[in-house]
Amino acid sequence: MLADFELTVDHAQVIVHTGSLATPGLLWTDDHVAQGFAWSQGQVAFGIPDHDGTCRIIVDLARDDVLEAQALWAVQVPFLVSEVLAIGTTFDMHRVAVPHGAYDLTYQALPGTGDDAYVLRLTFSPSAAPTFRIVKKGGDITADTVLRRDAELAA
């Protein structure tokens, strides 16, 4: 496990970005909401439905990512790691060191435990050809396939 922390999620999203990115942020469209993420090189924002309480974030590295049986929803995006990452929300970022390389980054939402509304698992799986895909519909994810592979940067 690379990181495990609690987070109060604001703006209905969890953000992963390269640590040197001065102002992370992406503009969401209806297509992004339907697929559960907005992506641009060096950053991705994963959607999370409105909820009460904190979320537990688990970041891990795995040779092959496996969908957990209790997953409520899951998506996968390509992510190139070349420096320390920042993971969290607009107002609460945690620095996480992931070995440099190309990955399939899978975001899974699991039922919460204790006071946590959800357990959100971010798994980095090394890949020679990372891809986008909807792994499991649920939550706010209504699309069967990826609708948009890019998002505009927020100004």
Side-chain angles (χ1 to χ4, degrees), residues 13-75:
Q13 64 183 344
V14 171
I15 303 167
V16 178
H17 68 88
T18 55
S20 64
L21 190 60
T23 54
L26 298 168
L27 299 177
W28 287 71
T29 65
D30 290 343
D31 285 347
H32 292 120
V33 173
Q35 70 187 19
F37 69 90
W39 182 94
S40 183
Q41 190 65 39
Q43 67 177 310
V44 61
F46 295 108
I48 181 167
D50 286 337
H51 61 280
D52 292 328
T54 60
C55 291
R56 180 174 167 210
I57 308 293
I58 297 173
V59 183
D60 57 12
L61 189 62
R63 185 170 302 232
D64 295 308
D65 189 31
V66 175
L67 181 65
E68 295 197 31
Q70 68 270 30
L72 303 169
W73 68 86
V75 296

Side-chain angles (χ1 to χ4, degrees), residues 58-112:
I58 297 173
V59 183
D60 57 12
L61 189 62
R63 185 170 302 232
D64 295 308
D65 189 31
V66 175
L67 181 65
E68 295 197 31
Q70 68 270 30
L72 303 169
W73 68 86
V75 296
Q76 174 185 295
V77 299
F79 208 91
L80 179 63
V81 177
S82 60
E83 60 184 275
V84 171
L85 300 179
I87 298 174
T89 66
T90 306
F91 302 111
D92 186 8
M93 285 290 175
H94 297 255
R95 296 182 71 73
V96 177
V98 175
H100 294 187
Y103 295 93
D104 282 321
L105 170 54
T106 303
Y107 167 73
Q108 296 184 63
L110 309 169

